[in-house]
Amino acid sequence: MTTPPHAKDGLVPLFTAAEIQRRVDQLAETLDATLPHGDILCIAVLHGSFVFVADLARALSVRERHLAIDFMSVGSYGGTTTSSGHVTLRQDTTLPVAGRHVLLVDDILDTGRTLSAVTRMLRERGAASLLTCVLLDKPSRREIPVRADVVGFTVGDVFVVGYGLDYNQRYRNLPYLAALPADSLTRQEG
Ligand code: IMP
Ligand code: MG
């Protein structure tokens, strides 16, 4: 048997695949009770949320929720673990947003720059309503006062990888969430 990546790279497991699945199911229940009736446009922020949104969308389908799914890619990290402070739109959505009930899905709410920039953008485009859902929240790192409507797990000031989240494009395909030890991080401001 091959050595699991967390043992090799010193990753510290945070949430197992089973724990994540249970939580995703609870989130779907909350969203089902909170989202407006009718068709929903789900917009996932790439790349970090690709695993989460796939599970969340399927958990919502069990509840007979009809979702259109679209993606946008925004950047601020550029291979480091510290937000560069401004958010750039790398890839835009393809479906019209005006008049739609939007569910915005992201992997992790850190400084708040991404969520605040993206929600402002979607409001400017005339979304009829907007509900935000993040898998992870790191409130201790907040620089912009923004909160997500629905949160999976709250974590401390640790760098999280797995289940879609990366460090230098690695670990996205781990089925669980883990913390990368501080001595593995190349801290770079800017
Ligand atoms: P914010 O704009 O600082 O809130 O950062 C949000 C984005 O930074 C997330 O969507 C992630 O892509 C990335 N990010 C922040 N913290 C982490 C982490 O612990 N692991 C992996 N990516 C992170
Ligand atoms: Mg992201």
Side-chain angles (χ1 to χ4, degrees), residues 77 106-108 110-114 138 158-160 165-166:
Y77 261 66
D106 203 0
D107 55 355
I108 185 163
D110 186 33
T111 64
R113 291 182 193 283
T114 304
K138 280 201 264 188
V158 289
F159 198 80
V160 185
L165 288 88
D166 78 307

Side-chain angles (χ1 to χ4, degrees), residues 51 53-63 67:
V51 179
V53 77
D55 284 345
L56 192 64
R58 282 176 291 180
L60 280 164
S61 89
V62 173
R63 291 167 174 83
L67 302 181

Side-chain angles (χ1 to χ4, degrees), residues 80-159:
T80 76
T81 59
T82 311
S83 175
S84 66
H86 69 273
V87 173
T88 52
L89 184 62
R90 289 205 207 107
Q91 184 191 305
D92 207 345
T93 51
T94 57
L95 301 171
V97 167
R100 304 296 306 271
H101 295 296
V102 175
L103 168 62
L104 181 68
V105 176
D106 203 0
D107 55 355
I108 185 163
L109 178 53
D110 186 33
T111 64
R113 291 182 193 283
T114 304
L115 199 68
S116 90
V118 171
T119 53
R120 190 184 323 118
M121 204 182 291
L122 294 174
R123 287 205 175 89
E124 280 168 8
R125 291 177 186 185
S129 70
L130 182 57
L131 202 73
T132 55
C133 176
V134 295
L135 176 67
L136 294 153
D137 187 9
K138 280 201 264 188
S140 63
R141 297 246 320 151
R142 204 76 88 248
E143 290 171 18
I144 310 272
V146 59
R147 47 174 285 281
D149 297 307
V150 176
V151 173
F153 303 104
T154 300
V155 292
D157 184 9
V158 289
F159 198 80

Side-chain angles (χ1 to χ4, degrees), residues 45-48 106-107:
V45 183
L46 292 173
H47 297 31
D106 203 0
D107 55 355

Side-chain angles (χ1 to χ4, degrees), residues 69-82:
I69 309 219
D70 208 348
F71 301 93
M72 70 197 303
S73 173
V74 296
S76 70
Y77 261 66
T80 76
T81 59
T82 311

